[in-house]
Structures are given as structure tokens and as C-alpha cells.
């Protein structure tokens, strides 16, 4: 008789985040794609969820070109939150909700608490799966002259204002790593009712100078640093946030391979944000990262991400 050999089962990459099912943990981070069609294509190319560019009430033209510059280990960018404004963004969001294969996270940005609340009220009427508050853009002067997420009380105030109007849509706060104690900010937004946390936004700002022209390479001179260079900071931030709060984390920052994704899940992330890696590896990066995660999981005998999440603690 021929002995049947048991085939190792295919590892399960599905996750549930804030009550929403994702086929896999990869999440297109905000700001990578601008056009709704590109975001929809990312969902077709395997992204477990997609995040829109952060939307403000009025149209924003963005900062002068060039807005993104590559260096050896990553990128710096200063887009200036270029976006078409609330009314057009609502139409674009409707299209994405109809055509995306995966959940849609709508990202909003304001420089006043009252504008965050107005945006949240209007955008949640269109019913995105999740609402993300970009509390951490480094390139725009706000009500307090610095990103909201550098102050625990101010971050909590924004979350509380948004939660009053966000209906059933889960609210996640996008945090900046540019603070002494990210745990304090994480606890404050959780205490204010946030359903999840997304981290990290870019580091810095940084600057790159062209030594021939003696000028900064970015149009806006300074810009947020992303890519593989910042991965160790991202891992540490997610590790810290996981220790501080119970709400789920979308963790990213320089995640480029399946092994990077496993690492940040071990730090405590439920989902994995993918940003600069789209520029480095192209549009198939989501399905490739999933394949690489499965190779590692099969080799190590893991069947689901539950076995891995927070395992480094
Ligand atoms: C921009 C926004 C961000 O949240 C960020 O981290 C970097 C750049 C921007 O639009 O300029």
C-alpha cells in the first residue's frame, strides 16, 4: 500500500481588524496612490485593505516639485497633503467602495479639531470600512504649530470629537514616531475611544542636499523620511504601543518583504502597512509579501497569524 504523506496546510493569512475581515494583513498606507483607480488596482493586486490619500475640507495644491526624493535606504517626501477636497473625495470614495476587492480605509486630515469633526461626519456618511485620522503629518503647520499626535491631550481631543459623529465606522488614529513616549499618545487615543492605531507615519523631517547645486533636493526642502532606513524605529514603536494598549495596530514603516511583515506582527501589529515598498518592488508587492510570509510560516510550522502576533513580547 502506498503511504499517504500529509501535505502541510496552507497558512491562513486572514485577519479581523476593528470587526472588519481582511483576506490578508497587508494594507496600502495612505498617500502612496492618489487616483482612485490606482487604489482599486492595489486591491486587485492583493492588498488586504487600501487607504485613501488624506482628505481635507478644501482642495490643497500641495508643495512645489519635486515632492519625493530617493536616497540609498529610503525616501523623503513632502507632498503637502495634495488632495481634491471633501466634495470630490466623497465621490471618489463611493467609486472605491463599489469597485475595491478589499476594505477601504478613508483617511482624513485637518489642522483644527472642528474640521476633523466635520470631515468625519461627512465621510462616514459614505460608509468607508474604517476611518483613519492622520494626526501626524509633518509638513503642514496646524492649530498648534506641530502635528496633533505629538501631544497626548490634543490627540485625545480630536479622537473624542470625531467619535461623537463617526456612527458605526471604526476610527483609527495614525501616530507619529517623532515623540519621546509613543505609549503615552497611544494610551490617550485609546482612552478617548479610538478603535485602533496606525503607526508609524514618517520620521523627521529630514533633508537631502544636492552638493553640486548646493540646494535641498525637495521642493519644500524638508520632508518625512520613509523606507527600509526607518524599519527598526517602526518595530520599536509597534512593540511599545502593543505593551500600552489593547486596541489593534496597523503597523508599518519600511516594511518591504514577507519577513519584515512577520517581524512587525511579532512586535504586535495585527495588520501591516505597506508604503515605500510599492515604489521599491512595484504593484505586485502585496501578493509577493503574502507569498513570502507563507513560505516562512510553512517552514516554521505556523498555521495562522494569531500564533505570531505579539510573539516577541
Ligand atoms: C505628507 C503627509 C504625511 O502624513 C507624511 O508622513 C509625509 C508627507 C505630505 O502630504 O506632505
Amino acid at each position: 500500500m502506498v503511504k499517504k504523506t500529509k501535505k502541510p496546510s496552507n497558512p491562513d493569512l486572514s485577519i479581523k481588524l476593528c470587526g472588519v475581515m481582511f483576506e490578508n494583513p497587508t494594507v496600502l498606507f495612505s498617500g502612496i496612490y492618489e487616483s482612485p483607480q490606482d487604489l482599486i488596482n492595489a486591491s486587485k493586486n492583493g492588498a488586504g485593505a487600501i487607504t485613501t490619500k488624506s482628505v481635507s475640507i478644501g482642495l490643497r495644491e500641495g508643495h512645489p516639485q519635486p515632492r519625493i526624493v530617493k536616497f540609498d535606504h529610503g525616501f523623503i517626501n513632502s507632498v503637502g497633503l495634495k488632495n481634491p477636497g471633501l466634495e470630490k473625495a466623497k465621490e471618489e470614495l463611493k467609486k472605491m467602495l463599489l469597485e475595491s476587492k478589499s476594505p477601504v480605509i478613508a483617511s482624513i486630515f485637518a489642522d483644527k479639531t472642528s474640521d476633523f469633526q466635520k470631515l468625519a461626519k461627512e465621510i462616514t456618511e459614505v460608509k468607508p470600512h474604517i476611518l483613519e485620522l492622520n494626526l501626524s503629518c509633518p509638513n503642514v503647520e496646524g492649530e498648534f504649530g506641530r502635528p496633533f499626535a505629538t501631544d497626548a491631550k490634543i490627540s485625545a481631543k480630536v479622537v473624542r470629537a470625531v467619535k461623537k459623529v463617526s456612527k458605526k465606522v471604526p476610527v483609527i488614529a495614525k501616530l507619529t514616531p517623532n515623540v519621546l513616549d509613543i505609549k503615552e499618545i497611544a494610551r490617550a487615543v485609546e482612552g478617548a475611544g479610538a478603535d485602533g492605531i496606525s503607526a508609524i507615519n514618517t520620521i523627521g523631517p529630514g533633508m537631502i542636499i544636492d552638493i553640486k547645486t548646493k540646494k535641498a533636493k525637495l521642493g519644500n526642502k524638508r520632508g518625512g523620511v520613509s523606507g527600509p532606513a526607518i524599519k527598526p524605529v517602526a518595530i520599536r514603536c509597534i512593540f511599545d504601543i502593543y505593551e500600552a494598549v489593547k486596541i489593534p495596530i496597523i503597523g508599518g514603516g519600511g516594511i518591504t518583504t514577507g519577513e519584515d511583515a512577520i517581524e512587525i506582527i511579532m512586535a504586535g501589529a495585527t495588520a501591516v502597512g505597506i508604503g515605500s515598498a510599492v515604489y521599491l518592488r512595484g504593484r505586485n508587492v502585496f501578493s509577493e509579501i503574502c507569498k513570502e510570509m507563507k513560505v516562512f510560516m510553512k517552514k516554521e510550522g505556523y498555521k495562522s497569524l494569531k500564533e505570531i502576533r505579539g510573539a516577541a513580547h
Side-chain angles (χ1 to χ4, degrees):
M1 223 171 72
V2 186
K3 223 178 162 187
K4 271 192 195 159
T5 50
K6 214 172 156 197
K7 251 180 145 183
S9 60
N10 210 14
D12 177 16
L13 292 189
S14 69
I15 58 156
K16 197 171 178 189
L17 183 116
C18 302
V20 183
M21 285 301 301
F22 295 14
E23 252 176 50
N24 71 68
T26 65
V27 175
L28 172 71
F29 258 163
S30 178
I32 305 303
Y33 288 131
E34 224 179 275
S35 95
Q37 193 57 52
D38 284 342
L39 277 129
I40 292 163
N41 291 343
S43 78
K44 292 182 177 155
N45 290 327
I50 54 173
T51 315
T52 71
K53 175 81 199 157
S54 299
V55 174
S56 53
I57 291 180
L59 170 150
R60 291 178 60 98
E61 301 280 3
H63 287 314
Q65 300 270 13
R67 296 189 177 117
I68 178 158
V69 173
K70 192 171 187 296
F71 68 104
D72 287 349
H73 312 290
F75 299 87
I76 61 170
N77 88 87
S78 182
V79 176
L81 290 154
K82 181 174 179 289
N83 81 91
L86 176 58
E87 285 315 312
K88 180 129 189 269
K90 270 165 82 173
E91 292 316 307
E92 292 183 352
L93 180 58
K94 281 180 196 161
K95 178 181 162 74
M96 287 185 260
L97 286 165
L98 275 177
E99 296 179 34
S100 174
K101 280 190 64 194
S102 42
V104 180
I105 305 172
S107 178
I108 59 173
F109 158 77
D111 56 10
K112 286 200 295 246
T113 310
S114 57
D115 284 354
F116 259 116
Q117 193 178 44
K118 180 175 162 56
L119 281 160
K121 188 167 184 292
E122 300 251 348
I123 289 284
T124 51
E125 262 150 36
V126 186
K127 296 196 173 80
H129 296 86
I130 294 172
L131 181 70
E132 175 184 277
L133 313 179
N134 183 355
L135 299 176
S136 48
C137 174
N139 299 323
V140 181
E141 290 286 307
E143 187 178 339
F144 304 98
R146 58 195 173 102
F148 287 79
T150 57
D151 187 292
K153 280 201 187 110
I154 292 163
S155 301
K157 184 177 161 212
V158 174
V159 171
R160 263 196 306 274
V162 163
K163 283 294 285 185
K164 281 190 187 138
V165 299
S166 54
K167 305 173 227 16
K168 285 192 178 142
V169 180
V171 173
I172 62 177
K174 178 100 179 241
L175 301 189
T176 175
N178 304 323
V179 288
L180 281 179
D181 183 6
I182 201 163
K183 289 182 178 186
E184 184 200 358
I185 315 287
R187 281 191 209 104
V189 296
E190 181 184 55
D195 301 286
I197 286 173
S198 174
I200 58 176
N201 212 313
T202 52
I203 289 187
M207 187 186 271
I208 296 174
I209 293 170
D210 180 332
I211 57 171
K212 293 246 176 69
T213 65
K214 296 171 278 191
K215 292 211 161 45
K217 284 193 179 177
L218 273 180
N220 195 44
K221 297 191 177 72
R222 302 162 184 85
V225 184
S226 67
I230 74 167
K231 195 189 80 176
V233 179
I235 301 292
R236 187 270 303 164
C237 284
I238 303 313
F239 192 90
D240 282 354
I241 296 168
Y242 185 81
E243 277 184 355
V245 298
K246 297 222 158 54
I247 50 178
I249 309 162
I250 303 178
I255 301 301
T256 310
T257 65
E259 298 203 350
D260 292 344
I262 299 281
E263 186 180 350
I264 207 153
I265 292 171
M266 287 184 172
T270 295
V272 180
I274 307 294
S276 299
V278 176
Y279 303 124
L280 295 172
R281 298 188 61 181
R283 67 180 74 163
N284 291 322
V285 63
F286 306 98
S287 51
E288 285 170 9
I289 285 179
C290 289
K291 240 186 261 163
E292 293 158 4
M293 289 176 78
K294 283 185 179 176
V295 168
F296 174 84
M297 288 169 73
K298 262 191 194 166
K299 209 157 52 185
E300 300 294 318
Y302 295 116
K303 293 193 181 63
S304 82
L305 295 176
K306 271 194 214 129
E307 298 162 51
I308 295 172
R309 187 174 314 131
H313 290 262

